[in-house]
Amino acid sequence: YVFLAAQPSRTEKIFHITALATLILCATWPRYAAFFLPGLPLINPQRIANVVLLATLMLALFSSGYISGLIRHSLMQHRAFWVAFFVYILARIVSVFFSSEPFTSGYRLIQELFVHVIFIAVGLHFGVTEKNRRILAVALVACTIIATAAAWAEFSLGRNIFSYFITPQNDYMAWALSDQFRDGRFRAKGTFDHPLTMAEFISISAAIGSALLFASKS
């Protein structure tokens, strides 16, 4: 708090670095390449970056006007988005009370809120200036190229390329490292743990990255 108090430029820089690191690591580092400690979630670089990002976001909200300023500006300029978001949150809260397992449903809602708040803040940060949008575009395109190259290498070899470097420590790692076939056809997953996740990332990031690049390099 002392380090970031009344220092919007410092807060912006730290938030920018941690947000960019989280996004890049989520797309280029295999989630299953992690440490597994008893009683704790898997620990990998993207999760560590995510924790730092969350801590930076919490500090920024209380020590600097940077994040709150972004939110206020967005509330004034894009009311439809925020109305839709709050309607969604209200619907999710109501669904908790009607759930057969309200405690479990409430816990999942809290998890969702953390994810949504973090990524809305990240989106506001990267959308606030042309420079930030260009950085996000370059990062997305670079991550898409890396993930696609890993998938092509895996498809050419007919085997998960990370299995050459990682020894399975549990069932999840063994499943993620296994070669996944469907109807006799090999399905590459690149830097992700499932082929569908890979396909979702490529289809979305390629479109968004290209749109941002064309907008900044018209």
Side-chain angles (χ1 to χ4, degrees):
Y1 176 84
V2 171
F3 182 71
L4 294 174
Q7 294 285 342
S9 60
R10 184 180 294 169
T11 304
E12 180 182 353
K13 185 175 182 179
I14 296 174
F15 188 79
H16 179 76
I17 293 171
T18 54
L20 202 58
T22 300
L23 292 174
I24 291 172
L25 287 168
C26 282
T28 58
W29 185 278
R31 181 172 175 265
Y32 48 84
F35 293 102
F36 294 84
L37 300 178
L40 292 176
L42 57 87
I43 301 172
N44 52 27
Q46 56 262 56
R47 175 151 285 175
I48 294 171
N50 194 29
V51 170
V52 176
L53 173 62
L54 178 60
T56 305
L57 174 61
M58 293 297 104
L59 285 170
L61 286 173
F62 294 103
S63 67
S64 168
Y66 176 66
I67 298 297
S68 57
L70 290 180
I71 294 173
R72 280 197 302 271
H73 178 73
S74 180
L75 279 168
M76 296 300 295
Q77 298 295 321
H78 308 285
R79 291 188 180 92
F81 168 79
W82 290 98
V83 169
F85 179 66
F86 286 121
V87 168
Y88 166 76
I89 295 301
L90 180 61
R92 284 292 289 112
I93 292 173
V94 171
S95 73
V96 170
F97 291 100
F98 283 95
S99 172
S100 59
E101 298 180 355
F103 291 106
T104 302
S105 183
Y107 174 69
R108 288 175 179 168
L109 173 60
I110 292 172
Q111 285 184 313
E112 287 179 24
L113 285 176
F114 270 114
V115 171
H116 289 142
V117 168
I118 288 173
F119 278 97
I120 286 174
V122 169
L124 290 174
H125 167 75
F126 282 112
V128 72
T129 65
E130 180 64 28
K131 178 183 177 182
N132 285 1
R133 286 193 293 272
R134 191 177 297 113
I135 290 172
L136 175 62
V138 172
L140 271 176
V141 172
C143 289
T144 304
I145 292 172
I146 292 170
T148 305
W152 272 112
E154 179 186 7
F155 186 78
S156 300
L157 293 170
R159 182 181 178 185
N160 187 320
I161 58 175
F162 299 104
S163 61
Y164 293 101
F165 315 103
I166 301 173
T167 302
Q169 299 178 23
N170 52 37
D171 292 339
Y172 167 64
M173 287 186 73
W175 169 80
L177 287 168
S178 65
D179 302 323
Q180 299 185 15
F181 288 83
R182 170 83 50 98
D183 297 328
R185 293 186 176 185
F186 179 82
R187 299 195 300 169
K189 49 185 176 282
T191 54
F192 297 90
D193 59 359
H194 196 280
L196 291 181
T197 312
M198 169 73 186
E200 289 166 351
F201 171 75
I202 295 297
S203 61
I204 294 171
S205 64
I208 294 176
S210 300
L212 288 172
L213 278 181
F214 289 136
S216 61
K217 297 287 186 180
S218 57

